[in-house]
Amino acid sequence: MELISECPLCSCIQFTAWRYTPDDFLTKTGMYTLMQCENCSLVFTNPRPNSSEIGRYYQSDRYVSHAGSKEQFSFMYKVYDKVRDYSIKQKLQLIKKYNASGRLMDLGCGLGYFLHGVHLDKTFDAVGVDISEDAIRYVKETFGHHV
């Protein structure tokens, strides 16, 4: 785990514990502390998984947004797809308030659903970036987008 000494957003060194939450997902034994920056109010995990640990969280078959096909999941997980589609539209509306068109980078695009939504919207010239070879392959095979 990596201990953060300053806010990732504004570099302030003053933050307080905001919430404690169990890791019900991967380790099922650990606890996470969510800190809130006293300057900008950003909430972030501290300590957080370091670069050698973080991949385990995104490679799990239980990580729904990266699961691709959801045939093995319950009804509630299938509802996730509908909520995700709605969320993509909402995010695009928010972005358009600040930039009506242009170029957009989806950094950490995962399985590319937001990236695909941007392409379908045809407002932005979008590119996706991810470090997971499995996710990159999924985006290319499912949507035909270069990542």
Side-chain angles (χ1 to χ4, degrees), residues 63-140:
Y63 186 58
V64 178
S65 68
H66 287 178
S69 174
K70 307 226 180 5
E71 284 82 25
Q72 75 274 23
F73 293 115
S74 71
F75 171 76
M76 288 307 295
Y77 285 106
K78 292 177 183 177
V79 169
Y80 174 87
D81 286 339
K82 300 297 181 193
V83 172
R84 181 195 56 226
D85 293 343
Y86 175 79
S87 175
I88 290 169
K89 291 175 184 169
Q90 295 297 100
K91 289 175 187 176
L92 276 168
Q93 285 181 350
L94 178 63
I95 292 168
K96 289 177 187 179
K97 284 183 181 179
Y98 299 96
N99 291 297
S101 64
R103 298 171 71 190
L104 185 145
M105 178 185 290
D106 185 0
L107 185 59
C109 68
L111 295 184
Y113 287 97
F114 179 72
L115 177 65
H116 185 62
V118 173
H119 279 280
L120 291 176
D121 188 65
K122 299 181 181 179
T123 304
F124 297 94
D125 179 23
V127 62
V129 178
D130 206 282
I131 61 171
S132 167
E133 293 298 324
D134 290 337
I136 292 168
R137 185 174 25 264
Y138 183 89
V139 174
K140 288 179 182 178

Side-chain angles (χ1 to χ4, degrees), residues 23 25-27 32 49 53-60 63:
D23 179 2
F25 180 69
L26 189 64
T27 68
Y32 289 108
E53 299 168 320
I54 194 70
R56 298 182 305 155
Y57 291 84
Y58 295 96
Q59 293 170 350
S60 172
Y63 186 58

Side-chain angles (χ1 to χ4, degrees), residues 10-48:
C10 73
S11 300
C12 178
I13 60 170
Q14 296 177 340
F15 34 86
T16 55
W18 183 71
R19 297 276 192 282
Y20 300 96
T21 184
D23 179 2
D24 291 330
F25 180 69
L26 189 64
T27 68
K28 298 192 185 274
T29 58
M31 287 289 286
Y32 289 108
T33 302
L34 300 178
M35 305 298 284
Q36 185 169 37
C37 176
E38 293 182 11
N39 181 54
C40 71
S41 299
L42 177 73
V43 175
F44 56 94
T45 304
N46 195 21
R48 66 183 178 194

